[in-house]
Each structure stands twice: as structure tokens, then as C-alpha cells.
Amino acid sequence: MSKRKPYIRKLETNWWLKTGFYTRYMLREGSCIFITLYSLILTWGIFNLSQGESSFNMWLDTLQNPFFIILHLIVLIFALYHSITWFALAPKAIALWVKGTRIEDSVIIATHYAAFAIVTVLCLLIITL
Amino acid sequence: MNKKTIVIDILRYRPEMDEKPFTQSFEVPYIEDTSILEALQYIKDHLDSTISFRWSCRMAICGSCGLMIDNIPKLGCKAFLRDYYPNKISLEPLANFPIERDLVVVMDDFMQKLESVKPYLIPGDNACMSSGEYQQTPLQMEKYKQFSMCINCGLCYAACPQYGLDNNFIGPAALALLARYDRDSRDAGSAQRMKILNQEEGVWGCTFVGYCSTVCPKKVDPAAAIQLLKVESSKDYLIGLFKPD
Amino acid sequence: MKTITMDVAIIGAGGAGLRAALEIAQQHPNLKIALISKVYPMRSHTVAAEGGAAAVTQETDSLEHHFDDTVSGGDWLCEQDVVQYFVENARKELIQLEHWGCPWSRKEDGSVNVRAFGGMKIERTWFAADKSGFHLLHTLFQTSLKYPNIKRFDEHFCLDLIIENETVQGVLLLDIAEGEIKLIQAKSVIMATGGAGRVYRYNTNGGIVTGDGMAIAYRHGVALRDMEFIQYHPTGLPGSGILMTEGCRGEGGILMNKNGYRYLQDYGLGPEVPLGQTKNKYMELGPRDKLSQSFWQEQKKGNVFKGKRGDYIHLDLRHLGEALINERLPFIRELAKAYVGVDPVHEPIPVRPTVHYTMGGIATNNKTATSLSGLFAVGECASVGLHGANRLGSNSLSELVVFGKLAGQEAALYAQEKKHIDIKILEQKAQKIVQRTEDFLHSNGSEKMVDIRQEMGDTMEEGVGIYRTKPSMQKTIDKLHELKKRYKNIKIEDKSSVFNTEFLYAIELGHLLDMALAMAYSAINREESRGSHQRIDGFEKRDDKNYLKHSLAYYQGDDAPEIKYGKVTITRSQPAQRAYGAAGDKKIKEDIK
């Protein structure tokens, strides 16, 4: 008769608070909540735009509210956090070989930042022009 | 003589005596280049001979002595007292595995995962022993070499919360091994292995936590292997949309 | 007790055991194979081999060269028909490994690269960076997963062979996790359990290298051959004994004493080869026995460093440069950094000779069969006669696959011709062993295991080390007998069933003690110096008249083993002077004349 009695440890619900690595990962994953929230706000704005100018201005006014300003700041921080951590991981999913050597991780990361900067500038240009 | 010592807390579990694990403290002499494994051997030789743990090579290649040191998965033979002194050290069996006894975990599921990914060369039609070895340039080898360095120690499974939450997930080491053969220029088995990695328990069970690669003692980078396989899996899906067979 | 019926049982799942299993699985899909290991196969000590595997590869090389290097390297104690078979089959087997996926290091054009190794006339060592054994083992293990007729018994400890009618009928296993005994009925059994280097205090071996298979066969009356020949690897880390591959020197690494002097030139291996060059069979590329002996001489002269982990010399790789070290010796760099805090790119590595390999083992014929019907042996646990008195580096990995395959073939043929006997007879036999095992577990001794183990290791280093004398060996023998007596009264505190490692260590220690005695008695009886067996008590010369023969140790219970001698098969190479360096070249010229 077997005397084995393997003991199974259940992963506790707060497992992601146990190490910094897991916490940072959960924050990265959690950032999607704020980014979703922001896309809803934008959708709300587009809806208002379709309702005419006064409606759109009212939406803009609402956004001047300190609550919304703080919310935007939080969303911005999470979006930046997500981008930075995601860019740091990007080389793992990209294995590019040029003339027998693998492109350095730092090059791939730098390319991401460059693309990020270019897109940001373009967006700013579109908005301000 | 005032000899320095260090305290080691070990999570113990003796299935024939204990209902659940408990912590036992040991005080061992502190010498800076003593490894955690050597400290465990000291404990077994001199303090409590009933404590069980796996070990063999002492040089970080056999993969036996993985355990949680201060809650981080490491090889006992490649972590040293000097990195913790004068603090207390906590040792536990590898997380996410059932405890067999003391620091020994049940590896059955891990072994089955390794077996499930067809981890062998599946030759194409042109395979022939008499013509000598296959040609493979250093560059072709470079594409899979890193993923062939896995010593099957299981640290990455202890680091993977996805595996901890649902052990149907094939997991980092086995998927890295799958990538190792998939990316080998001598192999023609990608189509067979695609079915394995396309599953929910395959690469898509991974949410890219990335801790597996951080704890890997051999720099295998299973997280990278899985992301590269996700690219392959996506390509396979897209091609499948246009070319149903 | 569970009983399981198989055709062939293989004990040990390292390189040799796996290769044997693969051969049977491929050629005889109808045969059921039990592949038994006290650990998981990929933990087997094959994993720690670093340098590579030898096979004639280059056009400038020839089978004759490999043959001559091996036979002279073994100081003419090799079975020459076996060496011939080996050199003829080595390349084929390494290509087979390549076809199974082994990532051998390549040249730019995609063909397999070779590196220089000690005692080899021409570069013929296939390597996978400096993890050749690791890749070989994992390739074999992973390939074995393809074959459903290989039934693995991982973490099963072999307690004994079951013998009836003077024929092996099966094996008795302890399932380590279950704590349960299993009887495997098998028509033939292959021992592939590895060496016994753990009898020494300082060695390159893993904790599992405890001579289990050797001891089990020995206790059943099978001879252990050439057990006095223990290889000290010249470059282990002081203290831990962790291996710094011969590949370091193959790539151009040099050895220096504390005065920065390349002392090997004083020991018949010179003249000095300029830094950054290598010359086969010169200086650092001499054979292991000579290099380890030179260290001992330097130690006597006071030319070695003294450190807290013991005496050492320097292995200098700095001139190789970071790029080459990273490409060819990355593991060495990792190990040196972790275990002695030295980065070989910037500093020399402290090294000293440590026990590495048992040349001898279970005596087999040239087809791996032992004197016990149905029992085959292969790999380090066996003495098929390839290595003689000193093994050349990189011959052992090739041995695993060449003779692993042969053992598989032979054991399968044997099994096909035999029928299983009535299981009841085996169960009765097994029951006795179970009783014996349980009695041992529940004995109430008082001797501390660690004391016996350490005293054994120390006395072996002192008496049966690099250089030997009759009084020192006798002292060791006396000590070993004392330890064996104390062992009978050993304390086993843990009486539990599940993963009881203390109990396993106790059984292993019993195996080690028997191996130590076999080694010491074989050594004291050989009154000459040959290969790794060097005496400094009036027997400094090789004595072909009296000792060109294999020693055979037979177990006699608690008494001294009986030492007999067997003849050496010589086909085409008559014993001659072993010469390296310039003396070696001079000898070749004279031979041609």
C-alpha cells in the first residue's frame, strides 16, 4: 500500500503581492483597465461630436473637471508604464538575424521608442494643425 | 573560538507523520563559499539525518537540487551562504509542485509535459545515415542552441503563476524544448508540433509574465521561446484562414 | 510486492543505458524494456562530461592512430580486439547521435568540428562546446521518449539481482517515492550504473556515482577487473573537485606552477610549446596520468600554491581571449566564476588533480557479456578492456555509445532465446532480499554514517592515490576493514518509507566500501607501475613479464577479496615504451627505421 501523500499548496489569492516581479506584472496587466476606461471616454467624445457642436463642447467642459484631469493623469502613467515594460519585453518575441548575427535587444527596444516618438509627434501635429 | 553561524529555516513535510508542512530551524557554521546544497548536506550529516532533498552533480548541470530560497526558485548548488549572511535563510520545496517529502517535490507532471512535446528530431525524407552527418552551419545552430541548454531543473515552473493557477498549461521548459526542436534546421516535425502549441494549454496559456526567464539558471529564456512560438502559431492560424485543408 | 514482466532490464539510464535501450527499442520493437534509474535519466553523471567524444574524423587521421593512442595511453593493458572494434565504430555512433539531434559544434561550412585532447596524435574529439556529456545525455533521453516499448522506472533503486540456475532472471527495485518493492522479471539485464569515484574524498563525480552496479555484480561472484586503475583528472577545482575540462588545454590553456613556470616540460612532456599554440601529445596535451603525477612531484618540490582549499596550480586561459572562451568554454567560465570566484578571461584558474574515473569495473568479454549468464555490463561500471591502465580523455563518451549499442544488441539476442521461468521461484528469492533489506533498515546501530564515509574517502586518498607504497596501501586496507566492521553497526535514524534518502545513502555506502576494498587489494597486489597505478617503493618500473595482465578481484564477504589475473589480448601492438613530447617523436622515428 502506498504511503505517499503529496501535499498540494494552493496558490494564494494574494500571490501577486509576494514578489515585486509578480506585482509589476500585475500592474502591467492591470493597466488595461485604465486604458479601456480612457477609450470609453474617447468613444463618449466621438458620440458627442456626432450630436453637434454644443454637445461636443459640453463633453470638453466636463473633462475640465479636476476628477477627469486626475483620471487622465493616472491613465497616462499606466499607459507609459505599459509601453515601457512592453518595449522591454519586445526583443523576446522578435528574433531578427542580419548577416549571421542576431540584432541586439537594445536595438529592438530603441526602434520601439523611436516609433513611439514619431507616432506621438504625428498625433500632436494632427491635433494642433 | 567564536565561530560564525547562520540560521536556516526549512519547510519540512513527512507524509507518514505530518498532516501539513512545518518549519524547522537549523544553525550551521558560516563559511562564505559554502553553497546552500553543502549547508543541507551538513544538516543531514550532523543535525538531522531524516531530512530529504535531491542532489547530485554539485555543478549546476544535473538539475536535481532546485528549491525556493527566500521564496525565489534557485539551484541549491549555485547559491551561497555569503549572499544571505547574516540574515536567516528560508528554504522551501519548489513552488507550484506537490511536495513529496521535505524539499523533494513530485516531478511526474513535469516529466509528462516534457514527454508531450515530441522532443526529438523528426527527420525529413532526406535523412540518411550513410551520407554522414547533416550539415548545419553555426548560424543555423545559433537559432535553437539557447533553447537546448535546459537542464530540466523545474525552476521555471516554480516561477510561473500560470502553471500554478492551472497545471494543464504545458509550461516554460517543455515549450522551450519544443522550440528547440522546431527551430532545428535538421527537423521536419513542425506541423506535428503545431497541434500541441496551438492548444489553450500550449503557448496561449502563457501571459508573458517573464519570471521563468529571470530565474532560469542556464539563461534558456523560455519566455522568449514561447513568444516566438506564439508568432508561429499566429502565422499558422492566418495561413489556415486562407488555405483550409 | 509488485511483479512486472519485461524482456530486458537496464539498470542505469545514463549514456550507456539509454543507448542500449534505444538499440533494443529500434531493432526489436516486440521486446519490452525496463529502463531503471535511481534518479531521473537526465541527472545521470554523463551529464557532467564536458570535453567531448573521440572518433577518427579528419582525412589525415586513421583508425591505426586512434588505436595506437588508446593502447599506449592505456600502457598496453587494453584488450586490443576491443580497441579495434571501438575505433572502427566510434565515428558511426557519433554520426548517429548527430542524426538524433546532438548539437555538436560546427565549422563554418556546417560540418562537425573537432578539437585536440590529451594523448591524441591528431584532433579527433567531437564536442558540443564544453557541455558534450550534457548534450549527449539529453539527446539520448529525449530520443528515447519516441519509443513506447521503453518503460522507464525513474527514481527506482536497484536492491539486487534475482538469480536462479546461475542465470539472471530479474531485478528487485525499491520505488523511492512509494517506498514499495517491485520485482522485475527479465530475461537479460544490462548494468550501466557508472563508476565509483565517490570512494575518494575529492572527486569530480556527482553524489550518485557510488558503484552500485559494480558492487551488486561483485557480490554475486562476478569479477571486478583492473580496479587499481583510478584516474585522477589533472584539472579539478580545489576543494570541490569540480571538473575543468581537458578541452581547456585542447584549446590552448596552459598549466603553471607558483613560479609561473610551465613545469610539464620537466616531466618528459617538453620541450615547451609556445604560448597560443598547441602540439598534440606535448606539454598540456599529455595523458592525464602523467599530468596528475607531475603535479604530485611539483607538490613535493614545494612549487605549488597553498590555499585554504588545499594546494593548487594555475590553469591559464587568458591568452585565448574572451571570444574564444565564450564560444568554446562558456561553462568553464560560468563554473570558475561561481565556485572559485575567478573569471578565466582575466585570471588563471586554480586547479589540482582530483579523482575522476574508474578504468576498471565489472569484467566483460569483448561483447559486454559478464561471467554471469544473462548479465551484461557497459560504460564506466564495466571493464570491457578499452581503457587499460589509463583512459584517454574523450574515449569514454564514445565508449558509452559504441558499447551501449553492442550491449543492447547482445542482451536482446540473449533475451530472444530465453523463456521466463516460473515467477513463484523468483518471488521466493525476492522475499529473502526484501527481508534482508528491511532488517537493515530497522537495525539499531550507533555508528555515524558521515564518519565512515569521510574516513573512507580520506584513507583512499592517502593510500591509493596518485603514488602508492605498500605500507600506505596496507594502512588503507586495515582502515577499510575497520570501517566495514563499523558499517555493520551503522545508525539509520529514518525508518520511513517515502523518499527515505538516509536509507539509500546507507546502502550506497556499503557499495562504496566494497569498491574501496577491491581497489586497495588490486593495487597492493600489483607490484609494478603502469598507467595510473604508480608505486614508489621499489616497483617504479612497468613489469611486463609478471604484470602484463588484468587483475580480477573476487568478492569473499568480509574477508579480503581474492585477486587473480587474466591475460591481455594483444593483436598488433606489442608493449613498448610510452613516450610523449619530443621523446615520443623520437620513438616514432626509431620505430619507422
Side-chain angles (χ1 to χ4, degrees), chain A residues 76-112:
Chain A
L76 180 65
I77 289 165
F78 270 98
L80 281 173
Y81 179 74
H82 190 105
S83 306
I84 292 164
T85 51
W86 193 252
F87 288 176
L89 288 169
K92 289 200 191 297
I94 303 167
L96 288 176
W97 296 77
V98 176
K99 284 181 190 163
T101 44
R102 193 176 162 167
I103 293 180
E104 292 274 336
D105 287 3
S106 54
V107 176
I108 295 174
I109 296 172
T111 313
H112 275 76

Side-chain angles (χ1 to χ4, degrees), chain C residues 227-393:
Chain C
M227 289 301 281
E228 62 272 43
F229 299 105
I230 303 295
Q231 179 162 81
Y232 275 76
H233 194 291
T235 56
L237 295 181
S240 64
I242 286 170
L243 177 65
M244 295 288 110
T245 175
E246 192 162 305
C248 294
R249 286 171 279 128
E251 298 296 343
I254 57 164
L255 296 177
M256 292 186 306
N257 67 16
K258 74 171 183 190
N259 307 318
Y261 175 66
R262 291 173 70 186
Y263 61 89
L264 292 175
Q265 58 192 292
D266 297 348
Y267 301 95
L269 293 157
E272 187 173 335
V273 178
L275 188 70
Q277 295 176 25
T278 59
K279 196 164 176 192
N280 294 323
K281 298 176 97 161
Y282 274 71
M283 292 297 286
E284 284 80 7
L285 292 180
R288 291 175 179 175
D289 55 342
K290 301 268 181 208
L291 263 62
S292 293
Q293 288 151 18
S294 322
F295 172 88
W296 188 92
Q297 303 282 2
E298 285 292 294
Q299 199 177 20
K300 285 280 163 248
K301 292 179 192 165
N303 288 341
V304 298
F305 296 95
K306 296 207 172 295
K308 60 179 177 180
R309 302 180 190 96
D311 293 355
Y312 63 90
I313 44 124
H314 274 159
L315 168 62
D316 197 345
L317 306 180
R318 288 176 295 181
H319 53 284
L320 302 183
E322 186 164 2
L324 187 79
I325 291 175
N326 284 345
E327 183 205 329
R328 302 282 176 88
L329 304 164
F331 190 38
I332 291 305
R333 191 174 181 195
E334 177 191 331
L335 291 170
K337 277 184 184 171
Y339 296 102
V340 282
V342 161
D343 183 349
V345 171
H346 305 295
E347 287 169 274
I349 312 170
V351 292
R352 59 162 298 137
T354 48
V355 167
H356 184 55
Y357 191 86
T358 40
M359 260 74 73
I362 303 166
T364 74
N365 66 9
N366 58 10
K367 294 200 155 160
T368 74
T370 71
S371 60
L372 179 59
S373 183
L375 181 69
F376 299 81
V378 66
E380 193 179 343
C381 77
S383 165
V384 70
L386 175 62
H387 306 306
N390 170 59
R391 173 173 74 81
L392 288 192

Side-chain angles (χ1 to χ4, degrees), chain A residues 1-5, chain C residues 177-178 180 497-498:
Chain A
M1 214 208 41
S2 177
K3 288 178 180 158
R4 277 176 86 176
K5 199 176 72 185
Chain C
E178 292 279 358
E180 180 194 38
S497 304
V498 176

Side-chain angles (χ1 to χ4, degrees), chain C residues 504-551:
Chain C
L504 297 181
Y505 294 178
I507 299 175
E508 288 170 343
L509 183 56
H511 294 158
L512 287 171
L513 283 168
D514 280 347
M515 292 307 95
L517 277 161
M519 289 169 187
Y521 274 102
S522 301
I524 201 167
N525 277 282
R526 183 175 287 275
E527 297 187 323
E528 65 155 352
S529 291
R530 183 187 297 271
S532 66
H533 175 72
Q534 292 292 316
R535 294 190 57 158
I536 41 170
D537 54 349
F539 304 108
E540 284 82 357
K541 291 230 159 61
R542 196 174 80 194
D543 176 1
D544 288 331
K545 196 159 148 261
N546 294 307
Y547 286 101
L548 183 58
K549 47 196 181 184
H550 298 295
S551 68

Side-chain angles (χ1 to χ4, degrees), chain B:
Chain B
M1 220 164 49
N2 183 22
K3 275 197 183 154
K4 288 192 213 167
T5 60
I6 186 166
V7 175
I8 300 182
D9 280 353
I10 301 179
L11 190 72
R12 298 210 55 186
Y13 173 65
R14 299 157 303 177
E16 291 150 86
M17 299 159 78
D18 307 322
E19 273 310 305
K20 58 180 200 318
F22 65 98
T23 302
Q24 191 177 351
S25 288
F26 298 95
E27 196 172 343
V28 305
Y30 172 74
I31 303 163
E32 43 165 43
D33 54 8
T34 299
S35 66
I36 296 289
L37 173 64
E38 287 167 315
L40 280 170
Q41 288 168 330
Y42 179 88
I43 292 170
K44 190 165 179 71
D45 282 343
H46 300 285
L47 304 178
D48 187 341
S49 62
T50 69
I51 190 157
S52 279
F53 51 92
R54 291 189 179 104
W55 69 283
S56 178
C57 76
R58 314 164 287 137
M59 54 193 272
I61 192 74
C62 80
S64 304
C65 65
L67 74 174
M68 306 298 287
I69 307 176
D70 283 353
N71 218 19
I72 297 173
K74 286 190 176 173
L75 294 177
C77 66
K78 227 188 154 189
F80 301 89
L81 297 186
R82 59 172 177 262
D83 300 329
Y84 301 90
Y85 187 80
N87 299 324
K88 196 159 79 171
I89 303 173
S90 128
L91 303 181
E92 290 184 16
L94 280 181
N96 300 336
F97 290 94
I99 308 176
E100 186 81 76
R101 169 187 174 156
D102 299 334
L103 297 170
V104 176
V105 295
V106 181
M107 296 288 282
D108 300 3
D109 184 55
F110 176 81
M111 294 300 288
Q112 277 162 17
K113 297 280 159 64
L114 288 184
E115 289 163 20
S116 74
V117 299
K118 297 186 189 286
Y120 36 77
L121 219 58
I122 299 174
D125 302 329
N126 57 347
C128 176
M129 269 288 287
S130 58
S131 57
E133 77 258 27
Y134 295 112
Q135 299 294 300
Q136 183 171 64
T137 63
L139 175 61
Q140 287 173 317
M141 189 190 272
E142 206 51 51
K143 300 218 160 135
Y144 71 87
K145 199 169 134 200
Q146 180 180 23
F147 304 136
S148 74
M149 296 296 178
C150 171
I151 59 171
N152 303 162
C153 61
L155 301 195
C156 54
Y157 284 68
C160 177
Q162 289 305 109
Y163 180 75
L165 291 164
D166 176 8
N167 64 12
N168 287 315
F169 174 42
I170 294 176
L175 286 169
L177 187 59
L178 189 153
R180 174 253 174 277
Y181 281 100
D182 241 21
R183 298 172 65 80
D184 192 319
S185 59
R186 300 166 291 182
D187 181 82
S190 295
Q192 292 183 43
R193 293 193 199 93
M194 190 58 78
K195 294 188 193 88
I196 302 165
L197 60 94
N198 278 344
Q199 316 163 70
E200 186 66 38
E201 305 82 50
V203 287
W204 302 106
C206 165
T207 55
F208 209 172
V209 180
Y211 200 35
C212 52
S213 295
T214 306
V215 303
C216 177
K218 294 284 134 181
K219 302 193 171 69
V220 173
D221 205 349
I226 297 173
Q227 305 326 306
L228 292 170
L229 289 173
K230 280 180 184 169
V231 175
E232 292 306 311
S233 177
S234 308
K235 274 200 250 171
D236 180 64
Y237 176 75
L238 283 175
I239 292 167
L241 282 181
F242 298 107
K243 206 182 81 183
D245 47 17

